[in-house]
Amino acid sequence: MEPFRIEIPQAQLDDLHRRLADTRWPDELPGAGWSRGVPLSYLKELAEYWRTGYGWRAAEARLNQFPQFTTEIDGANVHFLHVRSAEPQAQPLILTHGWPSSVVEFLDVIGPLTDPAGHGGDPADAFHLVIPSMPGYGFSGATREAGWNLVRIASAWAELMGRLGYGQYIAQGGDFGAMVSLTLAGVDHQHVSGAHVNFLPTAPPGDPAALADLSESDYARLGLLGKFVGDLSGYMKIQSTRPQTLAYALTDSPVGQLAWIVEKFKEWTDSAKVPEDAVDRDQLLTNASIYWFTGTAGPSSQLYFEIADMLPTAAAPASPPPPLPVPVGVAVFPHDIALPIRRFADQAFPNIVRWTEFDRGGHFPAMEEPDLFVADLRAFSRSLRR
């Protein structure tokens, strides 16, 4: 394992600013708002702030406050933050992001999770944190061969936690991170004490009778899943079929990369008008900057291609993994892209020991509602210690 420090050359910053200044902007239909994609006026203003107001060096310094490393696992480079708590009984915890996210998603929860006493909490709730960049994402960089699916990533995480000397640990994630965490709980159940997720789409079983006595709210959740599949998943279809073609545009145009990401933060969060209603603007741009500087628009999309047969379609919603032999915790945030139905979740995961429904927050709760995220993760960890 090699120590790692983020140091983007000034030439790359200068190139980003030049490209932003020289953007060739498209036209748009009047009055469309967000209905046809990211509005022109909004993106122009955000891109100008990225060029003249946002400070990458400050973001870089914040990231570099945390110990970071790289290591090779199964032929891939893996970048990760490893932040140990000062509390001797701290629980090891691996946090996994998804797309279009990065390790930036967890910056606001590192302090409360590693040092609860310093943030008004109980020292017994402390965690040692491992926060990796998924293969193909961020500072892990591109993978050099096909086959990096959920099982392979989960197996790499098991290897990583073993190398770090953690005999027992908890896995947590949202988006792809939830899928990786649940898969990890299956492939390394001897060492995973429990899996906590904040994203768990549930599809009804094949028997139509299962829908007979669903509540009105459950039917609304089925409708939400249908809206995602029918209207909000165009990005997924492209990335799961032609990730390389998409990569040319996003790797060459920072505004294209920004629009591709910022649209998801608008649609998937508890935001009223703009993504910044839910997520800090500078954090949003730090996340987009990492994709830009590392050139991982294409490599990060490859995971969609690798697991295309698992993704939901209009004809067949995604199927859950096999039942897990470890306790599972589920945090449900109401403005996520898909909300689980408890009955179907229990059928897929009989070991659910904690289920929390929140009244605010969306797909990126560690950024949107860090206090709620931390409190639920602490409570789940406590339930495993009883």
Side-chain angles (χ1 to χ4, degrees), residues 9-281:
Q10 185 60 40
Q12 287 195 36
L13 280 170
D14 295 341
D15 177 68
L16 169 62
H17 295 158
R18 176 188 62 77
R19 288 171 183 265
L20 289 170
D22 293 343
T23 299
R24 184 185 180 197
W25 294 98
D27 201 355
E28 69 172 351
L29 291 174
W34 287 83
S35 64
R36 295 173 182 254
V38 183
L40 179 61
S41 60
Y42 169 79
L43 196 63
K44 276 188 171 182
E45 191 275 328
L46 184 61
E48 181 62 14
Y49 177 74
W50 196 9
R51 187 177 75 88
T52 62
Y54 167 77
W56 166 257
R57 292 302 183 199
E60 188 177 68
R62 186 186 182 196
L63 284 160
N64 283 331
Q65 290 176 350
F66 304 109
Q68 298 172 64
F69 303 86
T70 59
T71 189
E72 182 177 313
I73 301 177
D74 194 13
N77 182 67
V78 174
H79 161 263
F80 63 99
L81 280 61
H82 186 201
V83 188
R84 288 185 59 83
S85 173
E87 300 296 336
Q89 302 303 316
Q91 299 293 309
L93 169 66
I94 183 167
L95 297 169
T96 306
H97 66 82
W99 184 92
S101 192
S102 66
V103 296
V104 171
E105 181 174 348
F106 300 111
L107 292 183
D108 289 342
V109 301
I110 291 176
L113 289 175
T114 57
D115 180 23
H119 294 78
D122 185 343
D125 290 329
F127 295 96
H128 299 308
L129 297 183
V130 179
I131 310 175
S133 298
M134 288 214 296
Y137 287 69
F139 297 104
S140 285
T143 54
R144 299 304 174 189
E145 59 183 1
W148 275 96
N149 54 25
L150 297 176
V151 172
R152 192 167 179 182
I153 295 171
S155 298
W157 279 193
E159 172 67 19
L160 175 61
M161 296 302 279
R163 290 185 189 181
L164 293 172
Y166 294 131
Q168 290 290 318
Y169 59 93
I170 298 170
Q172 199 287 329
D175 193 82
F176 275 147
M179 301 169 74
V180 169
S181 297
L182 293 172
T183 305
L184 176 58
V187 301
D188 197 30
H189 58 85
Q190 302 94 330
H191 303 109
V192 176
S193 302
H196 180 279
V197 296
N198 54 268
F199 182 63
L200 188 70
T202 53
D207 183 5
L211 305 178
D213 58 348
L214 286 180
S215 68
E216 184 176 338
S217 63
D218 285 342
Y219 273 114
R221 293 186 176 197
L222 284 177
L224 185 64
L225 179 60
K227 177 177 172 59
F228 171 74
V229 172
D231 182 52
L232 302 179
S233 61
Y235 78 97
M236 186 173 68
K237 186 65 174 177
I238 294 173
Q239 294 186 170
S240 63
T241 57
R242 299 295 184 272
Q244 185 63 33
T245 302
L246 175 67
Y248 297 113
L250 301 189
T251 306
D252 188 59
S253 169
V255 165
Q257 176 68 94
L258 180 62
W260 198 247
I261 288 177
V262 79
E263 179 185 85
K264 304 313 164 199
F265 277 84
K266 169 61 172 66
E267 294 179 338
W268 299 356
T269 61
D270 191 355
S271 58
K273 295 181 178 180
V274 293
E276 295 94 315
D277 292 338
V279 176
D280 178 79
R281 170 175 276 206

